[in-house]
Amino acid sequence: GAVVSQHPSWVICKSGTSVKIECRSLDFQATTMFWYRQFPKQSLMLMATSNEGSKATYEQGVEKDKFLINHASLTLSTLTVTSAHPEDSSFYICSAPTWGTQYFGPGTRLTVL
Amino acid sequence: GNSVTQMEGPVTLSEEAFLTINCTYTATGYPSLFWYVQYPGEGLQLLLKATKADDKGSNKGFEATYRKETTSFHLEKGSVQVSDSAVYFCALENSGGSNYKLTFGKGTLLTVNP
């Protein structure tokens, strides 16, 4: 099956700093990728749709200036958490569709101290 | 809007027991329905899917039937194994223009004991 990778798999940062998370489709091209946030023992919450070559589409309640998304190529989307605070600590997951199926990355655990 | 409601967990079973995880949905139009599985420390993997009413998705001994009349997509397995221990997510994709945007249920943690 298709493979989606994320980097880093976990990151710890200080409050006020910015963190970039990469999502790559390794063996297919993706004009669209999705970013989710997963809280402990809860479901995945869609944050935004990343569109190659254009602006991302954010879900209601998600601050676009805080969660910057860039989809610069057909295989890479990045999510930058700007001025991170402890409440941004979470598990961030990306996905990309191909041939009618969504493939998910393994997730990135962000801890903000 | 779209929503998915699935059985609250956690569910704990003995090996070879029968499994049912209930899932119901609310959606306009004709959504596609999915079950995803998340093994400990791993990302979500597609387990099975059904794209229209009365379709049955199956994989690795798991089955789910798309029931439009009851808006349900319950997951079943006749004999679970320890290796089935994971979190299971029911999801829908409303293809009426949303282009792969998935709505997930809250997930059900399954633990299978030897």
Side-chain angles (χ1 to χ4, degrees), chain A residues 38 43 46 59 97 101-102 104, chain B residues 36 38 89 100-101 104-105:
Chain A
Q38 185 179 25
S43 184
L46 178 65
E59 296 299 302
T101 298
Q102 286 265 24
F104 287 80
Chain B
Y36 282 86
Q38 186 176 31
F89 292 92
Y100 301 117
K101 186 183 287 189
F104 285 89

Side-chain angles (χ1 to χ4, degrees), chain B residues 26-86:
Chain B
T26 302
T28 56
Y30 304 96
S32 295
L33 301 174
F34 305 83
W35 277 100
Y36 282 86
V37 58
Q38 186 176 31
Y39 297 103
E42 299 184 18
L44 272 73
Q45 301 173 26
L46 177 64
L47 180 60
L48 53 84
K49 69 178 183 181
T51 57
K52 60 183 188 297
D54 299 326
D55 269 1
K56 177 186 285 188
S58 61
N59 185 25
K60 300 181 181 180
F62 291 89
E63 294 182 341
T65 301
Y66 188 142
R67 301 285 188 200
K68 192 171 188 299
E69 64 276 13
T70 54
T71 62
S72 65
F73 193 55
H74 304 321
L75 182 68
E76 296 182 336
K77 185 173 186 180
S79 176
V80 293
Q81 305 300 312
V82 173
S83 56
D84 293 327
S85 297

Side-chain angles (χ1 to χ4, degrees), chain A:
Chain A
V3 178
V4 174
S5 70
Q6 281 184 243
H7 178 80
S9 55
W10 58 271
V11 56
I12 300 173
C13 69
K14 293 182 178 180
S15 188
T17 61
S18 295
V19 174
K20 181 184 285 188
I21 302 170
E22 294 184 348
C23 176
R24 292 182 186 273
S25 56
L26 296 186
D27 49 3
F28 65 100
Q29 294 181 333
T31 56
T32 301
M33 293 183 176
F34 299 92
W35 286 96
Y36 295 84
R37 187 171 176 176
Q38 185 179 25
F39 293 98
K41 299 184 180 180
Q42 293 194 30
S43 184
L44 281 75
M45 181 193 78
L46 178 65
M47 298 175 65
T49 303
S50 174
N51 304 300
E52 188 269 336
S54 64
K55 292 182 179 180
T57 306
Y58 290 82
E59 296 299 302
Q60 192 172 11
V62 177
E63 298 176 62
K64 61 181 179 181
D65 293 332
K66 179 160 190 66
F67 298 100
L68 299 179
I69 290 173
N70 185 281
H71 195 149
S73 78
L74 288 171
T75 59
L76 173 64
S77 174
T78 60
L79 169 68
T80 301
V81 183
T82 63
S83 187
H85 288 94
E87 57 265 31
D88 299 324
S89 298
S90 193
F91 196 55
Y92 293 88
I93 302 173
C94 71
S95 72
T98 185
W99 292 103
T101 298
Q102 286 265 24
Y103 292 90
F104 287 80
T108 297
R109 172 75 59 194
L110 170 64
T111 301
V112 184
L113 302 177

